[in-house]
Amino acid sequence: MNDLLDSAVAAHGGLDRWNQVRSITFDASITGAFWHLKGQGEALRDVRLEVDTTRQRVTIELAGQDKRAVFEPHRVVVQRGDGTFIEARDDPERSFDGHQFETPWDDIHLAYFVGEAQWTYVNMPFLATRPRYDGMDQDERGITRGGGPFIAAWFKDPAGNLLEVLEER
């Protein structure tokens, strides 16, 4: 790891401690004009999120709505608080195709967006400590120093998405 990544990991309790964690649960109130624009208004006021740290999965408990959503990259499920099925969508990312900024979202759009974002927020910087992407010319620390205005480090998250961290030269 590089100095910046070492510092970020240490500030979050260290890699050994992180590897013992299986999930993180927290309460949040996620509000603002953006959610109103998407037709979701106060849907995320008073939510409980459980973020899995071993695979890309987030459970979102929607307080006062008797609903929860389960986000996984290739499927989102919305159910009642007791687990009764309401709706689901496979390959939910594709449901954003053709959307404009002002396009309203349904509950699955909301759950996909929030699940993807919260999973990434909680799991960074630990994703960068995983094995490097082997398809690039990298040094022993996984950093590409080829031509161009940036130095890049490439890695895959647990879902297989290729991520890049850039530093301007």
Side-chain angles (χ1 to χ4, degrees), residues 92-113:
E93 185 176 8
R94 292 198 43 92
S95 69
F96 290 93
D97 290 354
H99 276 216
Q100 302 296 316
F101 184 72
E102 63 280 351
T103 303
W105 287 353
D106 61 22
D107 288 345
I108 291 182
H109 289 112
L110 179 72
Y112 181 84
F113 182 87

Side-chain angles (χ1 to χ4, degrees), residues 26-31 41-49 60-67:
F26 58 95
D27 296 330
S29 186
I30 306 169
T31 62
E42 302 296 315
L44 298 172
R45 181 177 297 282
D46 300 322
V47 295
R48 172 164 286 173
L49 296 106
I60 306 162
E61 301 281 345
L62 301 160
Q65 299 178 47
D66 188 36
K67 276 196 280 193

Side-chain angles (χ1 to χ4, degrees), residues 1-8 141:
M1 291 191 286
N2 65 41
D3 292 341
L4 177 60
L5 183 56
D6 288 341
S7 295
R141 291 176 25 198

Side-chain angles (χ1 to χ4, degrees), residues 35-77:
W35 307 111
H36 289 276
L37 178 69
K38 292 300 182 183
Q40 293 293 331
E42 302 296 315
L44 298 172
R45 181 177 297 282
D46 300 322
V47 295
R48 172 164 286 173
L49 296 106
E50 180 180 1
V51 179
D52 193 311
T53 61
T54 64
R55 63 188 174 127
Q56 203 168 0
R57 180 185 169 98
V58 176
T59 302
I60 306 162
E61 301 281 345
L62 301 160
Q65 299 178 47
D66 188 36
K67 276 196 280 193
R68 82 169 147 245
V70 179
F71 157 82
E72 293 177 296
H74 303 295
R75 182 172 173 82
V76 171
V77 177

